[in-house]
Amino acid sequence: MSKRASFAEGGALPERETKDNKPPQTGRYDRKFIRARLDLEEWVDRELRKLYKLKPGDDDYDLPEIDLDEVLAEDEGDRPELIKNLIAEAKDTAEVPFFVKELMKKLNEMQKMKKK
């Protein structure tokens, strides 16, 4: 086998087969799941701002960081307690049970979506 390049008439490169011209494939993403995850994270952020009574433009340095992956790694029965501990310093304590209940519901829905 020769290591020389061969050219078609006129000096043009020979055409490659169609399959070689395709761009490399990246991993496939479930856009619906990614969108749902982003929506959930935005909802958590909005609700935390309400629980801590922050106004638009206020710094959110005092907000706790709720890592959804960390919450999902816990047993389902331990999740509400973990969330309650993370938001223990919330100013609107009357809304904490509602927030925890809604977050658990949304996490369960997201997990069901991921399993499909």
Side-chain angles (χ1 to χ4, degrees):
M1 184 186 253
S2 173
K3 291 187 178 185
R4 300 171 91 192
S6 62
F7 294 95
E9 289 183 36
L13 292 172
E15 287 190 34
R16 291 183 171 182
E17 293 181 29
T18 316
K19 68 179 182 179
D20 290 341
N21 291 334
K22 291 181 182 176
Q25 288 190 356
T26 58
R28 295 184 183 247
Y29 299 103
D30 183 352
R31 289 178 188 247
K32 188 175 180 180
F33 176 75
I34 292 171
R35 182 82 236 158
R37 172 70 183 244
L38 181 61
D39 290 344
L40 177 58
E41 289 180 3
E42 289 173 348
W43 178 85
V44 167
D45 187 56
R46 280 192 311 273
E47 293 300 312
L48 285 175
R49 293 184 71 76
K50 289 178 190 174
L51 288 173
Y52 283 77
K53 297 185 178 184
L54 295 179
K55 296 177 181 132
D58 286 351
D59 290 333
D60 58 0
Y61 298 119
D62 295 334
L63 291 180
E65 188 71 31
I66 297 180
D67 183 352
L68 297 179
D69 291 322
E70 184 180 310
V71 174
L72 288 170
E74 292 291 323
D75 290 330
E76 200 166 329
D78 296 336
R79 291 175 187 168
E81 199 61 36
L82 173 65
I83 298 298
K84 287 177 189 175
N85 290 337
L86 289 171
I87 59 173
E89 296 177 13
K91 294 182 177 159
D92 191 357
T93 55
E95 290 295 315
V96 169
F98 169 76
F99 172 75
V100 172
K101 183 179 177 182
E102 280 298 305
L103 180 57
M104 293 304 106
K105 181 178 145 191
K106 291 175 182 287
L107 284 173
N108 287 335
E109 290 171 1
M110 194 175 72
Q111 278 189 308
K112 287 178 187 175
M113 183 185 297
K114 188 175 183 178
K115 290 180 183 179
K116 287 182 182 181

